[in-house]
Amino acid sequence: MDNATVEANWTDGVRAISPILLGITPFGLIFGVAAANADLPLLAAWASSFIILAGASQIAIIDVLDGGGAPVVAILTAIVINARMLMYSADMGRYTAAEPLGTRLFAAYLLTDQAYLVSTQRFPEPESARGFVPFYLGAGVTLWTTWQLSTTTGILLGAAIPTSWSLEFAIPLTFMALLVLAIKDRSGLLAAVVGGTVAVLATALPYHLGLLVGAACGIAAGMVSERWFR
Amino acid sequence: MTMWVVVLITGVATFAMRFLFIGLFGKIDVPPTLERALRYIAPAVLAALTLPAIVMPAGAFDLWNAFVPAAVVGALAAWKTGNIGAAIGTGLPALWLLQWLT
């Protein structure tokens, strides 16, 4: 590929992810505002945007730690939420097999739901995916930049927002929206119903452990139910 | 300090999961059982995070608090538009309206 083609693919990637930025920006602002209003070190919350770079897990850490949960529960919850990256990584590996190590490290760092989804939709077949890498990097860098700008803005705005706005409700509301988008079939719906119900019943468990117990029961219910819903 | 440790460990673990199969040149597939489990992680964890916050906002079970109808409004908006921003843009005003009415 010559430089002009690489550049065209990069620009296409930036363009493909642009409509999604409209959904990412309020999510980033909410994370920032939540971080600013939590009783936690703000610099660490801010740094999580480029150290972790995965919104739902970043918000979950704030949520668990600020609610008095154990650090181990916060880490495990965040890792479980981010485990879907394994799935994306397995698919991405088929596209990046010929790339040098540096490019593969950079591509892995930028791996997010959105960058992965727009790139694999544009290039469904790894065998005929010339231009995939610049396209993906264009999308990934654009998303990264938007995430840093929106979370930083949220943190700066956070302290100025009065509590009467009930912005603490924005966190469950954001998770609720992500949940609705994550339910794809009846097994997924059952996983959510069981996971949520068990988490409510198990809130008395110490260290916020009810969250992980609920999640484990939900995952098991989803897997077992596959044979009924087929 | 605790927060930094949590952020750093999560960051390293998340990067490891992102790089694992990319680093293996895509030659190794995800084991089928793990792949099935991964499919249900998002709905199960997100519901476990959301439901307690909505039905027991003050720590005690209360199905008649303003968060419940406001969350239903936000969920419907997300379902109709496929957009997180729409859920926040409708759910929060719904909560404000309910709090103003009661």
Side-chain angles (χ1 to χ4, degrees):
Chain A
M1 270 188 298
D2 56 80
N3 283 340
T5 320
V6 169
E7 204 172 296
N9 283 313
W10 174 286
T11 315
D12 280 349
V14 174
R15 219 173 276 151
I17 204 150
S18 295
I20 298 173
L21 302 179
L22 224 59
I24 296 298
T25 304
F27 193 24
L29 288 172
I30 291 297
F31 165 75
V33 171
N37 286 306
D39 192 17
L40 295 166
L42 208 48
L43 198 61
W46 175 75
S48 75
S49 281
F50 54 83
I51 295 176
I52 302 174
L53 188 69
S57 67
Q58 289 176 241
I59 295 186
I61 288 174
I62 301 276
D63 201 27
V64 172
L65 288 183
D66 199 40
V72 179
V73 174
I75 293 170
L76 286 177
T77 304
I79 289 176
V80 170
I81 290 175
N82 290 343
R84 67 191 187 285
M85 295 298 162
L86 288 168
M87 224 166 12
Y88 302 154
S89 180
D91 199 23
M92 281 283 295
R94 304 189 298 147
Y95 290 87
T96 56
E99 299 297 324
L101 181 63
T103 309
R104 281 187 288 139
L105 285 168
F106 189 47
Y109 170 66
L110 288 177
L111 190 52
T112 55
D113 303 274
Q114 295 83 4
Y116 164 78
L117 288 170
V118 296
S119 305
T120 49
Q121 269 163 17
R122 169 70 181 74
F123 297 92
E125 296 300 326
E127 293 74 25
S128 53
R130 274 176 62 87
F132 175 89
V133 171
F135 183 98
Y136 167 81
L137 293 180
V141 168
T142 307
L143 189 82
W144 184 92
T145 310
T146 308
W147 186 245
Q148 308 308 324
L149 289 176
S150 59
T151 52
T152 305
T153 308
I155 286 174
L156 294 176
L157 284 179
I161 292 178
T163 49
S164 62
W165 288 17
S166 299
L167 268 187
E168 76 278 4
F169 181 58
I171 292 182
L173 200 53
T174 306
F175 282 135
M176 176 65 111
L178 290 168
L179 170 64
V180 170
L181 304 182
I183 295 174
K184 303 233 160 59
D185 52 25
R186 280 189 285 181
S187 292
L189 180 62
L190 187 74
V193 171
V194 172
T197 309
V198 172
V200 168
L201 295 174
T203 38
L205 290 180
Y207 313 117
H208 253 59
L209 269 173
L211 176 56
L212 291 175
V213 174
C217 292
I219 293 165
M223 291 175 79
V224 171
S225 74
E226 277 180 351
R227 63 185 76 153
W228 310 330
F229 293 145
R230 197 165 284 163
Chain B
M1 188 59 205
T2 311
M3 175 78 178
W4 276 107
V5 174
V6 169
V7 167
L8 285 173
I9 293 178
T10 305
V12 169
T14 303
F15 178 77
M17 293 190 287
R18 283 174 166 137
F19 186 65
L20 181 63
F21 293 101
I22 291 178
L24 293 169
F25 300 97
K27 279 179 190 144
I28 294 170
D29 285 332
V30 182
T33 313
L34 177 62
E35 195 176 333
R36 280 177 56 219
L38 288 172
R39 237 178 285 153
Y40 301 111
I41 281 182
V45 180
L46 291 170
L49 279 165
T50 312
L51 212 58
I54 290 172
V55 301
M56 37 201 315
F61 188 77
D62 173 18
L63 212 50
W64 305 111
N65 80 84
F67 278 15
V68 176
V72 171
V73 170
L76 283 173
W79 182 52
K80 281 286 167 202
T81 63
N83 189 320
I84 302 167
I88 298 166
T90 56
L92 264 182
L95 180 69
W96 296 333
L97 182 67
L98 286 162
Q99 285 173 338
W100 180 72
L101 286 174
T102 50

